[in-house]
Amino acid sequence: MGQQTDLKEAAEAAEELPDPHDIVGKDEEVPLREVFDDTFVSENTDFETFDELVAASPSDASSADDLGRVGDGEWDEFVAESTIYDDEKEFVFAARDHWVGEKLGLN
């Protein structure tokens, strides 16, 4: 099992948090490379960047832009083998928590 994060506890300990609307707009999409930034990837996987991770997957994907080419079962197994997480879901939620923590200044 991968590392656990506790954003609620960190947020409660913070003296001041930014307005969420200053971080990301209501319908704004956050780029994958921003959520899976180099710090998160290098600390939690065998790779330095998300593009390197995707390119090493068992598919013809060569970067994060090609992630849709990786089959769900293949990606789940690859994540379990190449990261500290047990599966894709755990990996995605950890990256999300890392991104939120960065944006709120909690990391």
Side-chain angles (χ1 to χ4, degrees), residues 91-106:
F91 183 52
V92 169
F93 282 115
R96 177 210 55 194
D97 289 353
H98 169 80
W99 181 84
V100 169
E102 288 292 315
K103 293 299 177 184
L104 296 179
L106 301 174

Side-chain angles (χ1 to χ4, degrees), residues 36-51:
F36 294 92
D37 69 14
D38 293 350
T39 300
F40 176 80
V41 172
S42 65
E43 289 177 355
N44 298 292
T45 77
D46 298 333
F47 303 92
E48 296 299 315
T49 69
F50 192 60
D51 283 335

